[in-house]
Each structure stands twice: as structure tokens, then as C-alpha cells.
Amino acid sequence: MLLHLIRFVIGFLLIGLVVFIHELGHFIAARLLRVDVEVLSYGMGPRLFSFQGKNTEFRISALPFGGYCRMKGSIDLTKALRDGRGSLEVSEAGSYFATSPFHRLLIYAAGPLTNFILAFLLLAIASLLPVERISNEAFIAPTYLYPTVFPGLDVRQEAVQPGDKVLVADGTEVEDYQHFTSLLGDAPEGTDVVLLRDGETLRTHLVPESSGGTCVYGLTLYQKPVIANPTDPALRDGDLIVAVNGIPVASTLDVFATGGDVLILTMSRDGELFEYRTEERAFPFAWKSGLAYSSDAKGMKAVAYGLEGAWSYFVSTLRTLGALICFDVDDARMVITGPVKAAQNIGNISMLAFSYSANDGVRTLFHLLAIVSISLCIGNILPIPTFDGGQMLINAAEMVCRGNLKPRTYVVLQIFGMLAAVAIMVMMYALDIRAFFFRS
């Protein structure tokens, strides 16, 4: 129970840190645009510790979930309401209301933008961290030669023979099969490769076919049928399948291509042969693969990886939000969680990853925080007053109308926004309640 609590607190604090960085984005933009910030707080609620800077009180508050950035200007609005004025008369230098609507729009846009930049940086750094992965030598085979294993996949790479080893693809030396598949792009013109066959090298050009908007090359891994992690005590790690139902096999593809309801596997172990009978196609073992340390990207490619990853999370989050707006509740509920469940998931998944290695843990944690950061970015650009998107919309309207909103109108919109924000928070915590007490 204590371990679960610790993991939850860790997840809770990390989500709070992402929220605080969002507020830090507002703070930096405000100061760059010469708007004074009265308070920048990590956490909410009563003040625990603070120190006074030149213009800002930097504060740590009691509830370490998020934070806030309070800009100068509340007095201007209060005076206008108290005096019943129909417009704001700014009396304070450095006030939020003393700057232009365009600058205000930039200040509010800085929060979501900071979240996107944070996600990009987290994913870029994560892509550079080497982690242990499954690694197979880059032996390949054309799928069209195995129609029973790949029915309907008739992409013909006739220059490739089963057991060819890929040395170079797209001008890059191939590290393993997994690296080779990552080098096969979506360019319809195809990829140049250098193959090794029977000790000789040959060059060829692989031309894909388009299927569902992606390029299909019709190539698969050609792997020796050596077993690993057997669940049946009659088998051992490293046993080699040499025949199935009396038919010699040289690869895992040959094993899967063999017909029959009952399979008699002829196995080789330490130079001796024995038979193993099975009636299940779900074999009680895995195929033996190597392990290697590698990263998702190297050098400046990490920048592209981070941008693509952040954008992918941005688009998928928008789609989820769209599903919720269109009342596709079941689809949205599959991926939307409340803050408590999110904190619990971050703590549990990260700690599990750290149990494998430090790099696995950091990489997993950065991906999870990137998702949180993008979710916060999307949530804050909603056109609801008190949210950044609503404030940006107000600022855009002021730019068009060439004047500030009336103080009373501004307050009414803020009240409406606060009610909407409370409703959203109630909905999010309702998801937590449902997850913990009404699991289905």
C-alpha cells in the first residue's frame, strides 16, 4: 500500500511540474513584454515559502499540483468596477491591461506553446537514450514466396531471395533487421539496397506498392527456427527445429508454412535429434532473438524525432477531444483519464520501466510527461474564458474592435469561464471515480 502511495505521489508531483512549466511560459512572455508578474507560484493554496524578487514574489504553495502566474492589473479592473466605469483607465505601470491586446494574446499563447516545446524536448532527449531492444540480423525474405503465411500480400521483390542479408539501405549501413525496417521510408520511388548472398554483394532497387497511404515492400524477417523461453519442460532454450512433419525447414517462415492439424517438430539439441508433438499453432515457446542497445535517433535526427512525436501526440489528442465533443463517449473514454488515475499510471509505469534500467525509466517517463504536456496544451487552447484559448479569443476580439472589453463584460466572461472550468474538473474526477469503483 505504501509503495502504491509513493508511486501516486511521484506521478502527482510530476504532473504538477508540467503545469508549473506551463505557468512559467506565461511568466517569461509577460516579462519579455514588460508586464509585471506579482506572484509566480509552484503549487496552489496557502504559501509555504517565498522570496521577493525585483518585481515578483516567487512562491512555493501547500498543494503541489500545478501553479499560477498572477500578473499586475487586478487593481485596474477592481477600480473600474467600483467606480461603475464603462471602460478601463489604467493607472499602474507594468499592468496587464496597460499593454496591447496583441501582447496579451502572446502572453496567453505562451503557455500552450511552452507545453508543446516541453513535449518536443522530452521526446528528443528520450530518442537519444540507448535502451535494450530485440535485435535480429538483417536477413530477409520476400513475403510472396510464403502465400499461406501472408495471404493476399503479393508485393513481388523478385531480386531478393530468402536468406539475403541487407548490408546497406538508403545509403546507410544497416545495423540489424529492426534498423532496416526503420530505414524503409514511405517514398513511392523506393529504396536502394546492398545485399549479401553466398559471400557476394549485389545492388538492387526495392520498389514498394501503396496500400492505405503507406508503402508496402513485401519483405519480412528470415530467421533460424531456434526457440527461446519455452513453457514446456520438455523443451530447452536454444533447441533448433530442423523439420516439421518430416519436411526439412530452414527458417521460422518454413515452420509456419507447414500444414496439418498435428505438428511433429524434429528438434536438434547438442547434436542429437528428438521429436516434439503439438496440436497447437500457438507454440509453447518464443523465437530466439538477440539483444542490443540502440536509440531511436542519433545527432540532429533527434530534433526531427521530437517534433514528429510531439505533433503526433497533438493530432491524436485533438482527435480524442473531437470524439468527446461528438459524443463518441466510448471511444474517448478508452484514452481519457482523470488526474488521479493519470498520476497513478505515471508512477506505476515509470517505476516498472526503472526496474529494467535507468535509461528505460527515463525514456518511459519522458514519453508519459510529453503526453501530459500535450494534453495540457490542447486543454488550455479551448475557447473558454479563464482558459488560455478563451483569453486569446477575447484579445483577438479587442484587436478587431480596437478597444478593451467593458469591465463588467470581462467579469461576466470570467465567471462563466470559472463555472465551465469547475464543470470540466468535476467530469475529470468523475472519470477517476468510475475507474476506481465501477470498473468494467
Side-chain angles (χ1 to χ4, degrees), residues 127-142:
S127 73
L128 294 170
L129 296 176
V131 293
E132 193 175 60
R133 307 170 188 268
I134 292 175
S135 175
N136 299 99
E137 291 191 78
F139 292 104
I140 60 173

PDB file of all heavy atoms in Angstrom, residues 127-142:
ATOM      1  N   SER A 127      14.691  10.133 -27.353  1.00  0.00           N
ATOM      2  CA  SER A 127      15.114   9.406 -28.558  1.00  0.00           C
ATOM      3  C   SER A 127      16.607   9.144 -28.589  1.00  0.00           C
ATOM      4  O   SER A 127      17.078   8.250 -29.288  1.00  0.00           O
ATOM      5  CB  SER A 127      14.704  10.196 -29.804  1.00  0.00           C
ATOM      6  OG  SER A 127      15.519  11.346 -29.987  1.00  0.00           O
ATOM      7  N   LEU A 128      17.380   9.947 -27.844  1.00  0.00           N
ATOM      8  CA  LEU A 128      18.835   9.776 -27.822  1.00  0.00           C
ATOM      9  C   LEU A 128      19.298   8.715 -26.831  1.00  0.00           C
ATOM     10  O   LEU A 128      20.441   8.262 -26.891  1.00  0.00           O
ATOM     11  CB  LEU A 128      19.502  11.112 -27.466  1.00  0.00           C
ATOM     12  CG  LEU A 128      19.351  12.242 -28.489  1.00  0.00           C
ATOM     13  CD1 LEU A 128      19.839  13.552 -27.898  1.00  0.00           C
ATOM     14  CD2 LEU A 128      20.104  11.925 -29.771  1.00  0.00           C
ATOM     15  N   LEU A 129      18.424   8.315 -25.906  1.00  0.00           N
ATOM     16  CA  LEU A 129      18.826   7.376 -24.855  1.00  0.00           C
ATOM     17  C   LEU A 129      18.841   5.948 -25.395  1.00  0.00           C
ATOM     18  O   LEU A 129      17.811   5.442 -25.856  1.00  0.00           O
ATOM     19  CB  LEU A 129      17.863   7.464 -23.672  1.00  0.00           C
ATOM     20  CG  LEU A 129      17.823   8.797 -22.927  1.00  0.00           C
ATOM     21  CD1 LEU A 129      16.751   8.765 -21.853  1.00  0.00           C
ATOM     22  CD2 LEU A 129      19.183   9.102 -22.312  1.00  0.00           C
ATOM     23  N   PRO A 130      19.977   5.269 -25.350  1.00  0.00           N
ATOM     24  CA  PRO A 130      20.009   3.867 -25.807  1.00  0.00           C
ATOM     25  C   PRO A 130      19.346   2.946 -24.795  1.00  0.00           C
ATOM     26  O   PRO A 130      19.591   3.049 -23.595  1.00  0.00           O
ATOM     27  CB  PRO A 130      21.509   3.575 -25.932  1.00  0.00           C
ATOM     28  CG  PRO A 130      22.166   4.525 -24.990  1.00  0.00           C
ATOM     29  CD  PRO A 130      21.308   5.754 -24.938  1.00  0.00           C
ATOM     30  N   VAL A 131      18.507   2.076 -25.278  1.00  0.00           N
ATOM     31  CA  VAL A 131      17.833   1.090 -24.427  1.00  0.00           C
ATOM     32  C   VAL A 131      17.982  -0.287 -25.055  1.00  0.00           C
ATOM     33  O   VAL A 131      18.246  -0.419 -26.253  1.00  0.00           O
ATOM     34  CB  VAL A 131      16.336   1.431 -24.237  1.00  0.00           C
ATOM     35  CG1 VAL A 131      16.162   2.711 -23.439  1.00  0.00           C
ATOM     36  CG2 VAL A 131      15.624   1.544 -25.575  1.00  0.00           C
ATOM     37  N   GLU A 132      17.824  -1.304 -24.245  1.00  0.00           N
ATOM     38  CA  GLU A 132      17.954  -2.680 -24.728  1.00  0.00           C
ATOM     39  C   GLU A 132      16.734  -3.055 -25.556  1.00  0.00           C
ATOM     40  O   GLU A 132      15.597  -2.894 -25.119  1.00  0.00           O
ATOM     41  CB  GLU A 132      18.097  -3.634 -23.543  1.00  0.00           C
ATOM     42  CG  GLU A 132      18.537  -5.025 -23.935  1.00  0.00           C
ATOM     43  CD  GLU A 132      18.790  -5.909 -22.729  1.00  0.00           C
ATOM     44  OE1 GLU A 132      17.845  -6.121 -21.947  1.00  0.00           O
ATOM     45  OE2 GLU A 132      19.919  -6.373 -22.559  1.00  0.00           O
ATOM     46  N   ARG A 133      16.980  -3.553 -26.762  1.00  0.00           N
ATOM     47  CA  ARG A 133      15.902  -3.913 -27.673  1.00  0.00           C
ATOM     48  C   ARG A 133      16.174  -5.282 -28.283  1.00  0.00           C
ATOM     49  O   ARG A 133      17.319  -5.747 -28.322  1.00  0.00           O
ATOM     50  CB  ARG A 133      15.777  -2.897 -28.813  1.00  0.00           C
ATOM     51  CG  ARG A 133      15.638  -1.443 -28.397  1.00  0.00           C
ATOM     52  CD  ARG A 133      15.784  -0.545 -29.613  1.00  0.00           C
ATOM     53  NE  ARG A 133      15.842   0.873 -29.250  1.00  0.00           N
ATOM     54  CZ  ARG A 133      14.802   1.668 -29.186  1.00  0.00           C
ATOM     55  NH1 ARG A 133      13.595   1.174 -29.447  1.00  0.00           N
ATOM     56  NH2 ARG A 133      14.921   2.924 -28.863  1.00  0.00           N
ATOM     57  N   ILE A 134      15.110  -5.871 -28.801  1.00  0.00           N
ATOM     58  CA  ILE A 134      15.272  -7.095 -29.585  1.00  0.00           C
ATOM     59  C   ILE A 134      16.019  -6.769 -30.861  1.00  0.00           C
ATOM     60  O   ILE A 134      15.752  -5.769 -31.515  1.00  0.00           O
ATOM     61  CB  ILE A 134      13.902  -7.723 -29.903  1.00  0.00           C
ATOM     62  CG1 ILE A 134      13.252  -8.251 -28.623  1.00  0.00           C
ATOM     63  CG2 ILE A 134      14.027  -8.836 -30.936  1.00  0.00           C
ATOM     64  CD1 ILE A 134      11.864  -8.787 -28.816  1.00  0.00           C
ATOM     65  N   SER A 135      16.990  -7.598 -31.204  1.00  0.00           N
ATOM     66  CA  SER A 135      17.812  -7.348 -32.377  1.00  0.00           C
ATOM     67  C   SER A 135      17.998  -8.645 -33.159  1.00  0.00           C
ATOM     68  O   SER A 135      18.413  -9.665 -32.593  1.00  0.00           O
ATOM     69  CB  SER A 135      19.178  -6.789 -31.960  1.00  0.00           C
ATOM     70  OG  SER A 135      20.036  -6.647 -33.069  1.00  0.00           O
ATOM     71  N   ASN A 136      17.662  -8.616 -34.435  1.00  0.00           N
ATOM     72  CA  ASN A 136      17.878  -9.750 -35.325  1.00  0.00           C
ATOM     73  C   ASN A 136      18.780  -9.331 -36.477  1.00  0.00           C
ATOM     74  O   ASN A 136      18.687  -8.203 -36.955  1.00  0.00           O
ATOM     75  CB  ASN A 136      16.557 -10.263 -35.900  1.00  0.00           C
ATOM     76  CG  ASN A 136      15.601 -10.739 -34.820  1.00  0.00           C
ATOM     77  OD1 ASN A 136      14.703 -10.008 -34.421  1.00  0.00           O
ATOM     78  ND2 ASN A 136      15.800 -11.952 -34.330  1.00  0.00           N
ATOM     79  N   GLU A 137      19.651 -10.251 -36.898  1.00  0.00           N
ATOM     80  CA  GLU A 137      20.458  -9.941 -38.068  1.00  0.00           C
ATOM     81  C   GLU A 137      19.535  -9.664 -39.253  1.00  0.00           C
ATOM     82  O   GLU A 137      18.436 -10.219 -39.349  1.00  0.00           O
ATOM     83  CB  GLU A 137      21.405 -11.092 -38.386  1.00  0.00           C
ATOM     84  CG  GLU A 137      22.511 -11.263 -37.358  1.00  0.00           C
ATOM     85  CD  GLU A 137      23.567 -12.232 -37.846  1.00  0.00           C
ATOM     86  OE1 GLU A 137      24.411 -11.848 -38.678  1.00  0.00           O
ATOM     87  OE2 GLU A 137      23.535 -13.398 -37.386  1.00  0.00           O
ATOM     88  N   ALA A 138      20.002  -8.808 -40.161  1.00  0.00           N
ATOM     89  CA  ALA A 138      19.138  -8.293 -41.236  1.00  0.00           C
ATOM     90  C   ALA A 138      19.012  -9.269 -42.397  1.00  0.00           C
ATOM     91  O   ALA A 138      19.264  -8.943 -43.561  1.00  0.00           O
ATOM     92  CB  ALA A 138      19.666  -6.947 -41.723  1.00  0.00           C
ATOM     93  N   PHE A 139      18.612 -10.520 -42.087  1.00  0.00           N
ATOM     94  CA  PHE A 139      18.290 -11.498 -43.127  1.00  0.00           C
ATOM     95  C   PHE A 139      16.818 -11.325 -43.501  1.00  0.00           C
ATOM     96  O   PHE A 139      15.960 -11.220 -42.624  1.00  0.00           O
ATOM     97  CB  PHE A 139      18.552 -12.926 -42.648  1.00  0.00           C
ATOM     98  CG  PHE A 139      20.008 -13.233 -42.432  1.00  0.00           C
ATOM     99  CD1 PHE A 139      20.546 -13.293 -41.149  1.00  0.00           C
ATOM    100  CD2 PHE A 139      20.844 -13.457 -43.513  1.00  0.00           C
ATOM    101  CE1 PHE A 139      21.881 -13.572 -40.946  1.00  0.00           C
ATOM    102  CE2 PHE A 139      22.205 -13.737 -43.328  1.00  0.00           C
ATOM    103  CZ  PHE A 139      22.715 -13.789 -42.038  1.00  0.00           C
ATOM    104  N   ILE A 140      16.531 -11.316 -44.783  1.00  0.00           N
ATOM    105  CA  ILE A 140      15.163 -11.033 -45.232  1.00  0.00           C
ATOM    106  C   ILE A 140      14.690 -12.089 -46.224  1.00  0.00           C
ATOM    107  O   ILE A 140      15.480 -12.884 -46.765  1.00  0.00           O
ATOM    108  CB  ILE A 140      15.057  -9.632 -45.877  1.00  0.00           C
ATOM    109  CG1 ILE A 140      15.982  -9.531 -47.102  1.00  0.00           C
ATOM    110  CG2 ILE A 140      15.373  -8.550 -44.867  1.00  0.00           C
ATOM    111  CD1 ILE A 140      15.806  -8.247 -47.895  1.00  0.00           C
ATOM    112  N   ALA A 141      13.376 -12.065 -46.462  1.00  0.00           N
ATOM    113  CA  ALA A 141      12.758 -12.944 -47.456  1.00  0.00           C
ATOM    114  C   ALA A 141      11.548 -12.235 -48.039  1.00  0.00           C
ATOM    115  O   ALA A 141      10.884 -11.465 -47.349  1.00  0.00           O
ATOM    116  CB  ALA A 141      12.329 -14.262 -46.817  1.00  0.00           C
ATOM    117  N   PRO A 142      11.235 -12.456 -49.322  1.00  0.00           N
ATOM    118  CA  PRO A 142      10.027 -11.872 -49.922  1.00  0.00           C
ATOM    119  C   PRO A 142       8.785 -12.594 -49.420  1.00  0.00           C
ATOM    120  O   PRO A 142       8.741 -13.826 -49.370  1.00  0.00           O
ATOM    121  CB  PRO A 142      10.221 -12.083 -51.427  1.00  0.00           C
ATOM    122  CG  PRO A 142      11.638 -12.541 -51.604  1.00  0.00           C
ATOM    123  CD  PRO A 142      12.034 -13.189 -50.329  1.00  0.00           C
TER     124      PRO A 142
END
